[in-house]
Amino acid sequence: MAIPDFRDDGRLPDGLHPASESEVTFRFGSATPRRRRLALRLRRWIALARAVHAKRFLVDGSFVTATPDPQDVDAVVWLEDDFSTRVSRGDVEAVELEMMLLTRQPEEIYAAGTRRDWEDWVQYFSLTREADGRRKGLVEVEL
């Protein structure tokens, strides 16, 4: 299923829209140099999520809007229960992801450890900053 068209306000329609990594990269990460740089960051996060067998991966931020030069790309990775074991074992990708999450560098990637955490992040990122409480759509990358 294709990522839907933007609404008149430049955001995706409310809901969680599934997409492949290539769909996300093509749709949001190719139009400008800034978008291409953000797409490279996002692709690394997706690779790490796959390497640690994450359950789900959410993409948001101005990256998934019609804004020509987005400020950021936000992401939430729902980690498997054995993530801390992978870190303890020294799995390179798990350690790299753990360091990003602990140091908040980059600050736009977040983790969910439970279904409740995931649902809270989806709820949080679905809200716009508009005073009218408008909701917006998010993209879930198929892992």
Side-chain angles (χ1 to χ4, degrees):
M1 186 169 152
I3 301 167
D5 292 335
F6 294 117
R7 301 183 308 211
D8 290 342
D9 66 0
R11 295 182 175 103
L12 293 172
D14 190 18
L16 199 52
H17 306 289
S20 68
E21 178 181 351
S22 60
E23 288 172 305
V24 172
T25 301
F26 179 76
R27 172 78 183 272
F28 304 111
S30 59
T32 65
R34 173 72 178 157
R35 284 189 169 281
R36 288 189 289 277
R37 283 192 302 277
L38 290 173
L40 288 174
R41 175 183 290 188
L42 178 63
R43 291 184 72 196
R44 180 62 188 153
W45 296 346
I46 293 168
L48 292 172
R50 285 187 177 126
V52 302
H53 303 126
K55 295 178 183 181
R56 297 176 83 175
F57 193 88
L58 174 79
V59 181
D60 187 46
S62 52
F63 184 73
V64 296
T65 68
T67 304
D69 287 310
Q71 292 182 0
D72 64 1
V73 56
D74 293 315
V76 179
V77 56
W78 181 357
L79 300 170
E80 282 284 351
D81 297 335
D82 72 344
F83 180 72
S84 60
T85 302
R86 290 174 182 275
V87 172
S88 297
R89 271 196 322 239
D91 291 1
V92 175
E93 293 89 353
V95 170
E96 182 180 346
L97 183 55
E98 175 82 344
M99 290 306 299
M100 288 179 186
L101 295 167
L102 289 175
T103 64
R104 303 295 311 131
Q105 296 296 319
E107 63 184 16
E108 300 94 357
I109 187 166
Y110 306 90
T114 65
R115 177 173 299 283
R116 176 65 190 257
D117 288 346
W118 175 261
E119 291 169 356
D120 287 348
W121 281 118
V122 169
Q123 176 70 17
Y124 174 78
F125 281 116
S126 293
L127 296 174
T128 68
R129 295 182 185 172
E130 308 300 325
D132 62 7
R134 207 173 333 157
R135 299 180 60 77
K136 61 184 169 120
L138 310 171
V139 175
E140 181 174 355
V141 177
E142 299 163 348
L143 298 176

